[in-house]
Amino acid sequence: MQMTSAPHLLAEDGPEYERILGDALRHAHERPDLEGVGDRLNTEQLRTMALSATALITAAAATEYEHYVKARAELRRAAAAEGIDGGPAADGPQSTAAGSGAGIGAVIAVLTPLLAGSAAVIFLLVGYLLKAVNPSLTFGRSMVAAGWFFAAVAAAAILVAAIGLLVTALRNSATSPAAEDEGQELPEDVARAREAWRHALLERGILPFLRDALADPTAGPAARTPHRSPHRIPKVGYSRPDFSGPDDGPAAGPRPTFTSPDFTSPDFGGPEHRPD
């Protein structure tokens, strides 16, 4: 389940919140105040409830989180300034020249392999055709040599461009949020701010929420299979009729009896047919 986004929690810190929540649930059996985990609510139910209440939980550590975000933003601004300009100053003609120099270098790195490769193909194709027509022709051999030279230039340009891309990727990853979360060394003030936020989030946000959820009498029981007697026949949606044999004791009430109708012959004799 994805975490519900909180207004004051940045998306890049969502995985850290989920990690702290997961650690608290994994070590819940070590805390006496969370001993009810698994009796009425299991860990998955608590995780779902905590992810749905992200805004409420993280609000308990809002002050520490704001301080951590500011310290981290200042660190990133300083690292970006040093990586781009080589110093704190980032305005004036010097930065413009650096930007134009970087643009020209990128253009050269892209065009050199293309131009050298095209020239190599043309020279090699023409040179080998001339050698096929007249092997003793010197111009053909010169064209082949020039083709192989441009092929070497194209290969070297491709290698240099690949190294440049690798160096750029490593430089950018040094200041990325993922690198910070993986445990790279941070300045002391940023590290203290992050640790203070983590501690406040756990002690004032996650753990109190879990305790309140376990103490809530309206919370449903943890999912479990009810115990059934092995000799009991389970009900499948209907009940059998209550048949009772002659040896099952007296019946609940008198059984209905059938009486034949009282047929009588009609009296067809009228007063005029009676004998005198």
Side-chain angles (χ1 to χ4, degrees):
M1 178 179 178
Q2 296 293 331
M3 186 193 65
T4 303
S5 59
H8 50 273
L9 186 67
L10 299 177
E12 64 185 270
D13 297 317
E16 182 66 16
Y17 169 77
E18 296 183 9
R19 187 189 67 80
I20 298 174
L21 174 62
D23 290 342
L25 292 174
R26 276 193 300 271
H27 300 285
H29 62 279
E30 301 175 3
R31 293 178 174 269
D33 52 345
L34 299 179
E35 60 183 2
V37 175
D39 294 337
R40 298 174 58 251
L41 293 172
N42 56 36
T43 56
E44 288 304 319
Q45 290 171 323
L46 290 171
R47 182 190 303 274
T48 302
M49 295 170 62
L51 292 178
S52 300
T54 300
L56 176 64
I57 296 174
T58 55
T63 303
E64 289 80 3
Y65 181 67
E66 183 179 1
H67 179 64
Y68 167 54
V69 170
K70 289 182 179 179
R72 184 175 60 185
E74 293 176 0
L75 172 65
R76 290 176 181 173
R77 282 194 296 269
E82 292 178 0
I84 295 175
D85 302 320
D91 52 357
Q94 183 178 357
S95 64
T96 304
S100 61
I104 294 174
V107 171
I108 293 176
V110 171
L111 291 181
T112 300
L114 295 177
L115 296 178
S118 301
V121 171
I122 294 173
F123 278 105
L124 288 175
L125 181 61
V126 174
Y128 279 113
L129 285 176
L130 292 177
K131 287 183 66 176
V133 173
N134 188 359
S136 61
L137 188 61
T138 307
F139 184 70
R141 292 194 296 270
S142 300
M143 293 287 288
V144 171
W148 284 115
F149 170 77
F150 282 112
V153 171
I158 292 174
L159 180 62
V160 171
I163 294 175
L165 290 176
L166 180 61
V167 171
T168 303
L170 293 176
R171 183 183 302 170
N172 291 337
S173 65
T175 58
S176 65
E180 295 177 4
D181 293 337
E182 289 174 0
Q184 284 196 2
E185 185 176 357
L186 295 174
E188 185 178 357
D189 55 341
V190 180
R192 283 201 309 266
R194 181 174 64 176
E195 190 60 32
W197 171 62
R198 290 174 176 176
H199 181 76
L201 181 62
L202 178 64
E203 297 296 333
R204 298 206 308 262
I206 294 177
L207 292 179
F209 178 83
L210 296 179
R211 286 194 293 266
D212 293 342
L214 293 172
D216 186 5
T218 62
R224 69 179 83 182
T225 304
H227 176 72
R228 294 182 179 273
S229 173
H231 302 292
R232 181 181 177 183
I233 301 176
K235 294 183 178 181
V236 292
Y238 63 90
S239 60
R240 60 179 182 175
D242 189 12
F243 294 108
S244 60
D247 297 332
D248 292 340
R255 294 183 180 180
T257 58
F258 178 80
T259 58
S260 59
D262 189 9
F263 292 103
T264 58
S265 59
D267 189 6
F268 294 106
E272 67 275 6
H273 295 292
R274 289 181 181 177
D276 295 335

